[in-house]
Structure formats: structure tokens, C-alpha cells
Amino acid sequence: MPAYQLILFCLLSLVFQPARALNSEDILPPDQVFKLTAVGQSRQQLELEWQIEPGYHLYRDKTKVESESAEIRIGALQMPEGAVEHDAVFGDTSVYRDRLKLTVPIVNPNNLPRVELSVKYQGCADIGVCYPP
């Protein structure tokens, strides 16, 4: 085999690797990928922090915090910009990798000691598998 054909064969073998099927070991459960902690700073402020495993990301516009109590509202979230990446489904979108930390302002006019919130978020693995919101 001439040298140029051998080089071409080697290059093509690197580019065209056979596809392999994904199995359950390839994808971690969402609670292991997006580890969320919540710490009350006061009756008017809560801190949320996600530790995000390498190879995964959270979508900025799919991250929401809502009050489950009629007497309490959530103030405007100050979301970090995140990194803009191209997503096959959502197009250019802002995502978070490694860590996301938010301060949640709580409008608590009656100074209630207990606050019930709903935290919604969605993320994906870089290999193309997304978790439901």
C-alpha cells in the first residue's frame, strides 16, 4: 500500500469511529448531576447552589423559582449570564457548567418563618441526552 493511501486510511479510521449505543451507565441520575442545596439567609433571602458534574450543563432560561405560598412572592432573580452555546434543539442559548449560585429575594410581608418554593430547572449531558424539566 503506498504511503499516501496508508495515511489516508489512518485519518479516515480516526474520523469514522463506529457508533456505540448508550446504556444506563453512560448517563447519571439527575440528582447526581445537578446537586442542589438551599440555604436560608434570612426570611427575605435564600441562596440556591447547584454543583454540576463535568460533561453536563443547565439551561439559564429553564431555571425558575416560584412561591408555593399565597402570602409570599419571589423577587426578580439576578441570573448570571452563563456561557452561550449552540444547542441542536434550542439554538444559541445560555448555559451553566460546573456551578450555579443564585440569591433568591423573598417578598415576605408578614415575616413568615416558613417558605415553600418550587425550583424548576432543566439540563443536558453533552452527549445529547436531556433530562425532563
Side-chain angles (χ1 to χ4, degrees):
M1 177 181 279
Y4 71 89
Q5 287 179 330
L6 180 59
I7 292 170
L8 181 61
F9 174 77
C10 290
L11 289 173
L12 289 175
S13 68
L14 290 174
V15 173
F16 296 108
Q17 292 292 321
R20 69 179 184 89
L22 294 175
N23 59 46
S24 61
E25 290 85 40
D26 293 326
I27 303 298
L28 295 172
D31 62 334
Q32 289 180 21
V33 174
F34 310 113
K35 297 172 187 161
L36 175 61
T37 57
V39 176
Q41 303 294 319
S42 69
R43 291 183 183 180
Q44 287 74 37
Q45 186 172 299
L46 172 73
E47 185 176 276
L48 298 177
E49 184 173 358
W50 287 263
Q51 294 295 324
I52 305 166
E53 286 294 309
Y56 296 83
H57 58 271
L58 281 178
Y59 291 107
R60 182 180 192 266
D61 65 345
K62 305 288 184 201
T63 304
K64 311 239 183 290
V65 180
E66 300 169 348
S67 173
E68 294 292 322
S69 304
E71 305 87 12
I72 295 174
R73 292 183 298 112
I74 301 301
L77 292 178
Q78 301 299 314
M79 303 283 291
E81 287 300 314
V84 176
E85 296 183 8
H86 184 75
D87 184 276
V89 175
F90 300 119
D92 288 342
T93 187
S94 185
V95 300
Y96 303 113
R97 294 185 176 275
D98 302 319
R99 178 176 172 251
L100 169 61
K101 190 173 186 177
L102 294 179
T103 299
V104 179
I106 300 169
V107 180
N108 186 0
N110 297 325
N111 207 25
L112 299 174
R114 182 181 164 106
V115 176
E116 291 187 32
L117 303 176
S118 173
V119 180
K120 300 175 183 180
Y121 53 95
Q122 183 177 15
C124 295
D126 291 345
I127 60 174
V129 176
C130 290
Y131 297 89

mmCIF file of all heavy atoms in Angstrom, residues 32-51:
data_model
loop_
_atom_site.group_PDB
_atom_site.id
_atom_site.type_symbol
_atom_site.label_atom_id
_atom_site.label_comp_id
_atom_site.label_asym_id
_atom_site.label_seq_id
_atom_site.Cartn_x
_atom_site.Cartn_y
_atom_site.Cartn_z
ATOM 1 N N GLN A 32 -27.573 13.291 40.913
ATOM 2 C CA GLN A 32 -26.113 13.200 40.993
ATOM 3 C C GLN A 32 -25.430 14.195 40.064
ATOM 4 O O GLN A 32 -24.301 14.591 40.297
ATOM 5 C CB GLN A 32 -25.648 11.785 40.644
ATOM 6 C CG GLN A 32 -25.986 10.766 41.692
ATOM 7 C CD GLN A 32 -25.508 9.380 41.299
ATOM 8 O OE1 GLN A 32 -24.622 9.218 40.469
ATOM 9 N NE2 GLN A 32 -26.116 8.359 41.892
ATOM 10 N N VAL A 33 -26.123 14.599 39.002
ATOM 11 C CA VAL A 33 -25.568 15.538 38.027
ATOM 12 C C VAL A 33 -25.729 16.978 38.487
ATOM 13 O O VAL A 33 -24.805 17.777 38.400
ATOM 14 C CB VAL A 33 -26.251 15.350 36.653
ATOM 15 C CG1 VAL A 33 -25.791 16.416 35.675
ATOM 16 C CG2 VAL A 33 -25.981 13.969 36.103
ATOM 17 N N PHE A 34 -26.930 17.318 38.960
ATOM 18 C CA PHE A 34 -27.271 18.678 39.369
ATOM 19 C C PHE A 34 -27.554 18.662 40.872
ATOM 20 O O PHE A 34 -28.698 18.525 41.286
ATOM 21 C CB PHE A 34 -28.487 19.192 38.595
ATOM 22 C CG PHE A 34 -28.365 19.015 37.111
ATOM 23 C CD1 PHE A 34 -29.190 18.135 36.435
ATOM 24 C CD2 PHE A 34 -27.418 19.725 36.385
ATOM 25 C CE1 PHE A 34 -29.084 17.966 35.067
ATOM 26 C CE2 PHE A 34 -27.301 19.566 35.014
ATOM 27 C CZ PHE A 34 -28.137 18.682 34.348
ATOM 28 N N LYS A 35 -26.515 18.781 41.674
ATOM 29 C CA LYS A 35 -26.663 18.707 43.136
ATOM 30 C C LYS A 35 -27.063 20.080 43.657
ATOM 31 O O LYS A 35 -26.267 21.012 43.669
ATOM 32 C CB LYS A 35 -25.358 18.241 43.764
ATOM 33 C CG LYS A 35 -24.969 16.841 43.325
ATOM 34 C CD LYS A 35 -23.587 16.482 43.801
ATOM 35 C CE LYS A 35 -23.176 15.154 43.194
ATOM 36 N NZ LYS A 35 -21.732 14.960 43.227
ATOM 37 N N LEU A 36 -28.315 20.183 44.095
ATOM 38 C CA LEU A 36 -28.876 21.450 44.543
ATOM 39 C C LEU A 36 -28.887 21.529 46.061
ATOM 40 O O LEU A 36 -29.339 20.600 46.726
ATOM 41 C CB LEU A 36 -30.302 21.605 44.010
ATOM 42 C CG LEU A 36 -31.094 22.817 44.469
ATOM 43 C CD1 LEU A 36 -30.415 24.116 44.056
ATOM 44 C CD2 LEU A 36 -32.522 22.738 43.941
ATOM 45 N N THR A 37 -28.390 22.643 46.585
ATOM 46 C CA THR A 37 -28.509 22.927 48.011
ATOM 47 C C THR A 37 -29.200 24.280 48.168
ATOM 48 O O THR A 37 -29.058 25.166 47.327
ATOM 49 C CB THR A 37 -27.132 22.969 48.719
ATOM 50 O OG1 THR A 37 -26.314 23.941 48.094
ATOM 51 C CG2 THR A 37 -26.458 21.619 48.693
ATOM 52 N N ALA A 38 -29.963 24.406 49.244
ATOM 53 C CA ALA A 38 -30.675 25.648 49.554
ATOM 54 C C ALA A 38 -30.343 26.037 50.988
ATOM 55 O O ALA A 38 -30.416 25.199 51.888
ATOM 56 C CB ALA A 38 -32.176 25.448 49.393
ATOM 57 N N VAL A 39 -29.979 27.309 51.165
ATOM 58 C CA VAL A 39 -29.652 27.806 52.498
ATOM 59 C C VAL A 39 -30.407 29.116 52.705
ATOM 60 O O VAL A 39 -30.256 30.061 51.919
ATOM 61 C CB VAL A 39 -28.126 28.048 52.658
ATOM 62 C CG1 VAL A 39 -27.818 28.650 54.017
ATOM 63 C CG2 VAL A 39 -27.358 26.765 52.438
ATOM 64 N N GLY A 40 -31.236 29.150 53.751
ATOM 65 C CA GLY A 40 -31.943 30.377 54.088
ATOM 66 C C GLY A 40 -30.994 31.373 54.723
ATOM 67 O O GLY A 40 -30.378 31.072 55.737
ATOM 68 N N GLN A 41 -30.861 32.541 54.116
ATOM 69 C CA GLN A 41 -30.012 33.597 54.658
ATOM 70 C C GLN A 41 -30.780 34.429 55.678
ATOM 71 O O GLN A 41 -30.209 34.924 56.635
ATOM 72 C CB GLN A 41 -29.500 34.495 53.524
ATOM 73 C CG GLN A 41 -28.744 33.746 52.442
ATOM 74 C CD GLN A 41 -27.451 33.145 52.951
ATOM 75 O OE1 GLN A 41 -26.730 33.765 53.706
ATOM 76 N NE2 GLN A 41 -27.180 31.918 52.568
ATOM 77 N N SER A 42 -32.083 34.589 55.417
ATOM 78 C CA SER A 42 -32.990 35.320 56.307
ATOM 79 C C SER A 42 -34.408 34.969 55.850
ATOM 80 O O SER A 42 -34.589 34.147 54.955
ATOM 81 C CB SER A 42 -32.750 36.834 56.200
ATOM 82 O OG SER A 42 -33.165 37.305 54.934
ATOM 83 N N ARG A 43 -35.403 35.630 56.432
ATOM 84 C CA ARG A 43 -36.778 35.393 55.990
ATOM 85 C C ARG A 43 -37.081 36.129 54.690
ATOM 86 O O ARG A 43 -38.160 36.009 54.138
ATOM 87 C CB ARG A 43 -37.763 35.805 57.079
ATOM 88 C CG ARG A 43 -37.679 34.877 58.271
ATOM 89 C CD ARG A 43 -38.684 35.205 59.326
ATOM 90 N NE ARG A 43 -38.495 34.309 60.469
ATOM 91 C CZ ARG A 43 -39.205 34.335 61.555
ATOM 92 N NH1 ARG A 43 -40.173 35.225 61.702
ATOM 93 N NH2 ARG A 43 -38.974 33.490 62.533
ATOM 94 N N GLN A 44 -36.111 36.882 54.209
ATOM 95 C CA GLN A 44 -36.270 37.617 52.954
ATOM 96 C C GLN A 44 -35.269 37.190 51.879
ATOM 97 O O GLN A 44 -35.259 37.743 50.785
ATOM 98 C CB GLN A 44 -36.100 39.134 53.182
ATOM 99 C CG GLN A 44 -37.266 39.789 53.884
ATOM 100 C CD GLN A 44 -37.310 39.457 55.373
ATOM 101 O OE1 GLN A 44 -36.285 39.356 56.023
ATOM 102 N NE2 GLN A 44 -38.509 39.284 55.908
ATOM 103 N N GLN A 45 -34.450 36.188 52.171
ATOM 104 C CA GLN A 45 -33.427 35.814 51.194
ATOM 105 C C GLN A 45 -33.027 34.352 51.343
ATOM 106 O O GLN A 45 -32.848 33.858 52.451
ATOM 107 C CB GLN A 45 -32.205 36.703 51.378
ATOM 108 C CG GLN A 45 -31.128 36.508 50.347
ATOM 109 C CD GLN A 45 -30.052 37.561 50.512
ATOM 110 O OE1 GLN A 45 -30.331 38.737 50.387
ATOM 111 N NE2 GLN A 45 -28.842 37.123 50.786
ATOM 112 N N LEU A 46 -32.875 33.709 50.201
ATOM 113 C CA LEU A 46 -32.479 32.303 50.140
ATOM 114 C C LEU A 46 -31.346 32.174 49.131
ATOM 115 O O LEU A 46 -31.339 32.854 48.104
ATOM 116 C CB LEU A 46 -33.678 31.463 49.685
ATOM 117 C CG LEU A 46 -33.454 29.994 49.380
ATOM 118 C CD1 LEU A 46 -33.239 29.220 50.671
ATOM 119 C CD2 LEU A 46 -34.640 29.429 48.625
ATOM 120 N N GLU A 47 -30.409 31.301 49.426
ATOM 121 C CA GLU A 47 -29.322 31.041 48.488
ATOM 122 C C GLU A 47 -29.480 29.632 47.921
ATOM 123 O O GLU A 47 -29.632 28.672 48.678
ATOM 124 C CB GLU A 47 -27.972 31.177 49.187
ATOM 125 C CG GLU A 47 -26.800 31.029 48.253
ATOM 126 C CD GLU A 47 -25.497 31.279 48.986
ATOM 127 O OE1 GLU A 47 -25.112 32.454 49.116
ATOM 128 O OE2 GLU A 47 -24.902 30.277 49.429
ATOM 129 N N LEU A 48 -29.483 29.521 46.595
ATOM 130 C CA LEU A 48 -29.528 28.231 45.905
ATOM 131 C C LEU A 48 -28.198 28.017 45.207
ATOM 132 O O LEU A 48 -27.660 28.948 44.598
ATOM 133 C CB LEU A 48 -30.651 28.202 44.859
ATOM 134 C CG LEU A 48 -32.070 28.366 45.359
ATOM 135 C CD1 LEU A 48 -33.037 28.389 44.180
ATOM 136 C CD2 LEU A 48 -32.436 27.240 46.319
ATOM 137 N N GLU A 49 -27.692 26.804 45.289
ATOM 138 C CA GLU A 49 -26.444 26.495 44.597
ATOM 139 C C GLU A 49 -26.516 25.101 43.992
ATOM 140 O O GLU A 49 -26.897 24.140 44.659
ATOM 141 C CB GLU A 49 -25.253 26.599 45.547
ATOM 142 C CG GLU A 49 -23.941 26.375 44.845
ATOM 143 C CD GLU A 49 -22.733 26.638 45.731
ATOM 144 O OE1 GLU A 49 -22.902 27.034 46.900
ATOM 145 O OE2 GLU A 49 -21.620 26.439 45.243
ATOM 146 N N TRP A 50 -26.172 25.028 42.713
ATOM 147 C CA TRP A 50 -26.079 23.768 42.000
ATOM 148 C C TRP A 50 -24.606 23.455 41.760
ATOM 149 O O TRP A 50 -23.868 24.306 41.262
ATOM 150 C CB TRP A 50 -26.740 23.846 40.632
ATOM 151 C CG TRP A 50 -28.221 23.882 40.615
ATOM 152 C CD1 TRP A 50 -29.066 22.828 40.422
ATOM 153 C CD2 TRP A 50 -29.062 25.041 40.733
ATOM 154 N NE1 TRP A 50 -30.369 23.265 40.431
ATOM 155 C CE2 TRP A 50 -30.400 24.615 40.620
ATOM 156 C CE3 TRP A 50 -28.812 26.400 40.927
ATOM 157 C CZ2 TRP A 50 -31.470 25.499 40.688
ATOM 158 C CZ3 TRP A 50 -29.868 27.274 41.009
ATOM 159 C CH2 TRP A 50 -31.181 26.816 40.883
ATOM 160 N N GLN A 51 -24.195 22.246 42.110
ATOM 161 C CA GLN A 51 -22.901 21.718 41.682
ATOM 162 C C GLN A 51 -23.213 20.849 40.470
ATOM 163 O O GLN A 51 -24.024 19.918 40.562
ATOM 164 C CB GLN A 51 -22.236 20.908 42.796
ATOM 165 C CG GLN A 51 -21.837 21.733 43.997
ATOM 166 C CD GLN A 51 -20.768 22.758 43.672
ATOM 167 O OE1 GLN A 51 -19.871 22.517 42.870
ATOM 168 N NE2 GLN A 51 -20.877 23.922 44.288
#
